[in-house]
Amino acid sequence: MKRYSRTLVTTAGALALTALAAACSSAAPPVPLPSPAAPGDAATASSGATTGSDSQDSVAANTALWAKWGLKPLVPAPAPPVDRPIKLTRTGKVPVIKQVPTDQKVVFITVDDGAEKDPKFIQMMQDLKIPITMFLMNDTIKDDYGYFKPLQALGNSIQNHTLHHPAMNTISEAQQQNEVCGDQKILTTQYGTAPFLFRPPYGAGAYSSSLNEAVQACGPRAIVYWTETMEITGLEYQTADRKLQDGDIILAHFRGPSELKGESMTKMFANMVKRIEEQGFSVARLDDYIQQP
């Protein structure tokens, strides 16, 4: 069994101080549809089987979709474990998840806020089917709640990231609860599913008892931190070895050219995928490794 050197799921508070400076502010490649059977090939058409030529055409089509975005197909993620490594409870103190305990060579992409609403990013996700988890903040999404619904329809869950994006350790306990509960109510109404995860802006207060109590009161059952932050072309690491590890959670943002020095969100996302591919990792869906209560 693999020995882990980093804290995976903890409610202790020492690590928060080193990560507050981090900016706050899937996984398998798309499964290609079988090519249509050749005219007159009734047996193939009726059985749903594909010929060798069909399979080659499907692989070529899949590769072409990735090339459209300047990428090579990622290694398909393994099947998620039947016994999910993170198990949430219905009541009591909520855990802080910084890394998923797994021996699989997978990482998880989370995307925060929601300010940038580039239609090309939706097309990119529809083409590549890379799983993401979205932590949305109401102030940045209220002008277009509908933008995120096609992303949700791909199986990408929408989670809580406060109403107004304050540093939670700078406001009162009542204000913290208002931020979490307010966003929880809006997201549940707009997207039809209550978030079960919460991410505090900047990571501030993640390990504090006051925020933990606010999260408990509002519905989410875990606080999610991160292990790397995606900038424009590369990853910012929290470890000295500057390498991805099994189960790492990567923080990215819905950002556009004004925040990315002229680059588009799709270019930033492609750069992140390249950094993941270079280290031989797959991208898995975070929800698939968490057992909800």
Side-chain angles (χ1 to χ4, degrees), residues 8-49:
L8 305 183
V9 180
T10 177
T11 55
L15 292 178
L17 296 176
T18 61
L20 290 181
C24 173
S25 272
S26 106
V31 178
L33 293 174
S35 300
D41 190 349
T44 300
S46 62
S47 67

Side-chain angles (χ1 to χ4, degrees), residues 95-209:
V96 179
I97 302 169
K98 184 179 174 70
Q99 186 186 39
V100 175
T102 180
D103 288 327
Q104 296 177 335
K105 200 171 180 63
V106 297
V107 294
F108 306 90
I109 295 176
T110 61
V111 190
D112 281 16
D113 299 342
E116 177 67 9
K117 302 173 184 67
D118 185 351
K120 291 183 178 179
F121 182 69
I122 295 177
Q123 184 61 60
M124 185 183 203
M125 294 297 96
Q126 290 171 336
D127 285 348
L128 305 184
K129 306 293 192 298
I130 298 173
I132 61 174
T133 302
M134 296 174 280
F135 288 86
L136 300 183
M137 186 262 291
N138 189 62
D139 268 3
T140 57
I141 67 172
K142 63 185 179 182
D143 62 336
D144 189 1
Y145 291 117
Y147 172 84
F148 303 94
K149 292 182 179 181
L151 297 172
Q152 183 188 31
L154 294 170
N156 302 310
S157 67
I158 291 173
Q159 307 296 344
N160 191 320
H161 195 43
T162 74
L163 286 172
H164 309 297
H165 209 270
M168 299 294 272
N169 60 352
T170 67
I171 59 178
S172 70
E173 292 183 18
Q175 289 173 313
Q176 289 181 54
Q177 186 165 322
N178 180 64
E179 287 288 336
V180 182
C181 288
D183 203 44
Q184 186 81 358
K185 181 178 180 179
I186 290 170
L187 294 178
T188 302
T189 299
Q190 290 294 328
Y191 301 107
T193 303
F196 65 96
L197 302 174
F198 171 76
R199 171 171 283 160
Y202 317 106
Y207 296 89
S208 70
S209 60

Side-chain angles (χ1 to χ4, degrees), residues 241-258:
D241 59 7
R242 298 183 58 79
K243 292 181 180 179
L244 293 171
Q245 303 291 333
D246 298 351
D248 277 2
I249 298 172
I250 301 173
L251 167 65
H253 295 84
F254 285 95
R255 288 177 173 167
S258 62

